[in-house]
Amino acid sequence: MTHYKRSIAATGHHLVSAAAAEILQADGNAFDAAVAAGFAGAVAEQTLTSLGGGGFLLARTATTSQPGREIFFDFFVDTPGLGRQTVDQPHFFPVSVDFGGSKQEFNIGLGSVAVPGILKGLLHVHSRLGRMPLADVLQPAIGLARGHELNEFQAGFLHLLHPIMTMTEYGRNLYEPGGRYMQAHDTLANPDMVAFLQELPSDFGDSFYKGDIARTIDQDMRSGGGLLTFDDLAGYKVVERKPLRAAFRGRILLTSPPPSMGGSLIALSLALLEKMEAPPEWGSSEHMLRTTALMQEVELLRDQGVCSPESLRAYLAGDAIIESTEHIRLFSRGTTHISIGDKDGNVASMTCSNGEGSGYFAPGTGIMLNNMMGEDDLHPDGFHCSPAGERVGSMMSPSLLLKGDEVELVIGSGGSKRIRTAITQVLSQIIDHGRPHKTAVESPRMHWDGECLQLEPGFADESLAAVGDKVAINVWQEQSMYFGGVHIVVPGKIGVGDPRRGGSVAVVDAWP
């Protein structure tokens, strides 16, 4: 068993990091802390995550003798509609969100709600790997729900998502009391959430998934054009999977397995990088051209179906990967992440999302449900065409990087389609270019959106000119949450939070 002198948590909000630190200080393990941070995030990062959303947690326990010490907990959303006939015209409509440098359209309404998994997932992880009483683990979130100061980041997110947060009277009462929309430094309180969380240690989520709350949600959906049913909620299960393992530069990346697509796309990106010659200087024109071509090639391979386990294995073992590297040479959304490593060597990497939120709140809970059925990147074949009860694919990819038998890095990101490019670029900077972890997280990023290369400011003019000769580019005025939020922990050493999404690190020194 590995022992460190400190436990570290990196999250997207200082209050969430503080919640994790409080549990670690009380001698909870990384999984207690991750669960506490997950509940706290549902309160303090209400525009990015929710107990009504979906997520994943990649766990690696410190006990080497424990069977299945590496577990990927899948508590992402399911397609709704069990026990119900097709709804011809669901309550489902678009809203446009302006990120400052690029606009993106999302669909919300009752018809956008998928079967939520975060609540059951957090409770499941705690039951499996936690060691503190659930009532204690919930205390930080309960305190925040009683009232906390809205910071600049969350106020900005609330501004972006105003049409969603205020779609219903309940939302207007919560976020626009007295007709004034909440601003930075206002106190946000959610009394219904307080009562709901206080009941969890005895109720264990039964009322939400198969009790009175579930029945009321079912009634609201039937009368309001939604698809979520009582049968969906009652039948939801957390799935424990083996993480996907991908080799890279003498290391092993553990990441999200199918049906999540993000891990396979990261593995594909790293495999292509490893097949090429020594990387050019970071930020040079050659580096930027290669990175752009890499993103384009991965998108093409995704469209060709290379992301399935069988296709990915065949591709990596065959000659096609060489052809892809030649292509590269010739070229010359609401989500939050938590990374935790405790003093005993347990690590947890958890990514959770509510999408942008559907606008609908589960009655009496203070919990806005997700809009995952309205996310176009999760439904490439079209909306509302998948069978009920099917686990929805995701781009979220909580990951661990192993060197030998030790965890070298705990990493993950929010950011919808930008998750895989953000994680790949940060990993490449650290491993290929030897850049410090903080530098790698804070350096400008790029993302190929299918038509244009989106670029954060900070790249050299000559590099931008070289790339602009090859593809259309859009240079943003400032760094943005659009490009993800990568939070990392080097167990026992350091943590880095991404400033694009309010990154915060908490360190708890081990007792002597």
Side-chain angles (χ1 to χ4, degrees), residues 405-423:
D405 195 46
E406 298 295 321
V407 176
E408 183 176 359
L409 194 65
V410 185
I411 187 169
S413 177
S416 187
K417 297 178 182 179
R418 280 81 60 191
I419 290 173
R420 60 184 181 272
T421 53
I423 291 176

Side-chain angles (χ1 to χ4, degrees), residues 56 74-80 114-115 236 241 257-261 370 372-373 375 377-380 386-387 389-395:
F56 307 100
D74 179 347
F75 43 94
F76 202 58
V77 300
D78 283 349
T79 305
V115 189
Y236 182 85
R241 307 185 190 276
S260 174
M261 297 172 282
N370 67 84
M372 298 298 187
M373 299 308 294
E375 297 274 342
D377 56 315
L378 301 185
H379 304 281
S386 299
E390 184 176 277
R391 188 62 44 103
V392 176
S394 172
M395 294 298 172

Side-chain angles (χ1 to χ4, degrees), residues 265-320:
L265 293 170
I266 292 172
L268 185 55
S269 299
L270 297 178
L272 288 166
L273 282 175
E274 190 160 32
K275 288 289 183 181
M276 293 187 286
E277 65 273 7
E281 179 183 357
W282 184 90
S284 65
S285 58
E286 185 182 352
H287 164 259
M288 293 184 69
L289 286 165
R290 177 191 287 191
T291 303
T292 304
L294 173 67
M295 290 187 284
Q296 290 181 322
E297 185 69 12
V298 169
E299 283 300 309
L300 177 63
L301 293 169
R302 177 197 173 191
D303 292 342
Q304 293 173 353
V306 170
C307 290
S308 70
E310 298 78 13
S311 297
L312 183 60
R313 280 194 295 269
Y315 171 82
L316 295 179
D319 293 335

Side-chain angles (χ1 to χ4, degrees), residues 207-226:
S207 59
F208 187 91
Y209 282 97
K210 51 186 179 183
D212 291 343
I213 296 172
R215 281 186 279 271
T216 304
I217 291 172
D218 181 278
Q219 292 169 4
D220 287 349
M221 292 288 164
R222 290 178 185 276
S223 62

Side-chain angles (χ1 to χ4, degrees), residues 248-249 251 270 273 279 282 287 401 403 408-411 422-443 445 486-490 494 496:
F248 180 60
R249 311 287 193 205
R251 298 160 169 84
L270 297 178
L273 282 175
W282 184 90
H287 164 259
L401 190 67
K403 191 172 185 179
E408 183 176 359
L409 194 65
V410 185
I411 187 169
I423 291 176
T424 301
Q425 288 171 43
V426 170
L427 283 174
S428 181
Q429 285 189 65
I430 293 170
I431 305 304
D432 290 334
H433 299 274
R435 308 188 94 205
H437 297 81
K438 189 173 188 293
T439 302
V441 168
E442 295 182 356
S443 292
R445 294 189 192 132
V486 179
H487 308 314
I488 62 178
V489 163
V490 179
I494 62 168
V496 181

